[in-house]
Structures are given as structure tokens and as C-alpha cells.
């Protein structure tokens, strides 16, 4: 990630090393997080761009409508958790690594200040 907000990737293509499919959208990036084989970039304004192995969080299309005004992203081995400006958490990626938060969805709707990930789980703290 350059100060200009542009991104350069390299390495194993299927692990996110090839970002050519999203390269035109990788501008004004302010932060990047990674799993074992995917990346998620937050752009100025809070939109999110993902690429890499879909099973490891490289495809966020299932939650794309929820990924608005994102302020932070945390990762586990194969899943991401994003916090929105309203304090809601949005997850995607491998369900066994935290990519499915439906069981605790009611506790992730608002007021979340931070999210931290381990190999296969997330935790959250309140404001």
C-alpha cells in the first residue's frame, strides 16, 4: 500500500498475489488486511475490495451490500470481519474460521468498537 492509496501485489496468484481482476478498483485504499489466501482493502469512504481465494474471503459478493462505510477489517486464517461506521460487524469467508456470524448476529448489529481474530475465531469489544 502506497501513501497515494495505490496497491501492488505479488506472489502466488491464487493466494491474492494477482490483483489484476480488481486493479482498477484498488485506488484510494487506506488499509489492507489478509487471510491465508485473500486480501480485503478499505477504500477512502469505506467501500471494500476483496481478491484472492474465494473460500478464504477473496469473494465478498454475498455481503457486498453491507460493506458500506467500513472503518476497520480484521482477519482469521480464512475469514474477514468488517466494522461499519454504525458499529455493526459484517463477516465473510470460511464459515469454520468465523466467516459465518449468523449465530451471534443480534450481538453484532451496533456498538462494536473493535474485532480481533485468531486462527479460526473472532471476538468483539463494545464502545
Amino acid at each position: 500500500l502506497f501513501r497515494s492509496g495505490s496497491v501492488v501485489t505479488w506472489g502466488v496468484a491464487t493466494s491474492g498475489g494477482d490483483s489484476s481482476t480488481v486493479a482498477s478498483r484498488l485506488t484510494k485504499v487506506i488499509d489492507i488486511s489478509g487471510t491465508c489466501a485473500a486480501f480485503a482493502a478499505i477504500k477512502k469512504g469505506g467501500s471494500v475490495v476483496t481478491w484472492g481465494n474465494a473460500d478464504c474471503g477473496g469473494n465478498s459478493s454475498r455481503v457486498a451490500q453491507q460493506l458500506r462505510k467500513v472503518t476497520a477489517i480484521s482477519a482469521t486464517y480464512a475469514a474477514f470481519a468488517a466494522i461499519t461506521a454504525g458499529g455493526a460487524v459484517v463477516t465473510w469467508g470460511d464459515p469454520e474460521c468465523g466467516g459465518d456470524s449468523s449465530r451471534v448476529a443480534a450481538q453484532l448489529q451496533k456498538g462494536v468498537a473493535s474485532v480481533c481474530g485468531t486462527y479460526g475465531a473472532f471476538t468483539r469489544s463494545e464502545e
Side-chain angles (χ1 to χ4, degrees), residues 93-100 120-121:
D94 186 337
E96 293 185 15
C97 288
D100 178 4

Side-chain angles (χ1 to χ4, degrees), residues 35 53-57 59 62 76-80 91-104 119-122:
T35 65
N53 186 309
D55 294 333
C56 298
N59 181 347
R62 180 181 58 83
T76 63
Y77 180 75
F80 290 104
T91 60
W92 70 97
D94 186 337
E96 293 185 15
C97 288
D100 178 4
S101 56
S102 58
R103 188 175 56 83
V104 293
Y119 181 87
F122 289 107

Side-chain angles (χ1 to χ4, degrees), residues 98-114:
D100 178 4
S101 56
S102 58
R103 188 175 56 83
V104 293
Q107 298 167 331
L108 302 176
Q109 297 299 314
K110 61 181 179 179
V112 177
S114 67

Side-chain angles (χ1 to χ4, degrees), residues 9-74:
T9 60
W10 65 95
V12 178
T14 57
S15 293
D18 179 3
S19 58
S20 60
T21 60
V22 295
S24 64
R25 296 172 45 215
L26 289 176
T27 60
K28 300 181 182 176
V29 173
I30 58 172
D31 198 18
I32 300 176
S33 295
T35 65
C36 67
F39 292 100
I42 304 173
K43 297 181 60 164
K44 186 176 180 180
S47 62
V48 174
V49 179
T50 58
W51 69 98
N53 186 309
D55 294 333
C56 298
N59 181 347
S60 58
S61 61
R62 180 181 58 83
V63 295
Q65 294 303 315
Q66 298 168 273
L67 292 175
R68 304 282 188 254
K69 297 183 181 176
V70 170
T71 59
I73 295 178
S74 183

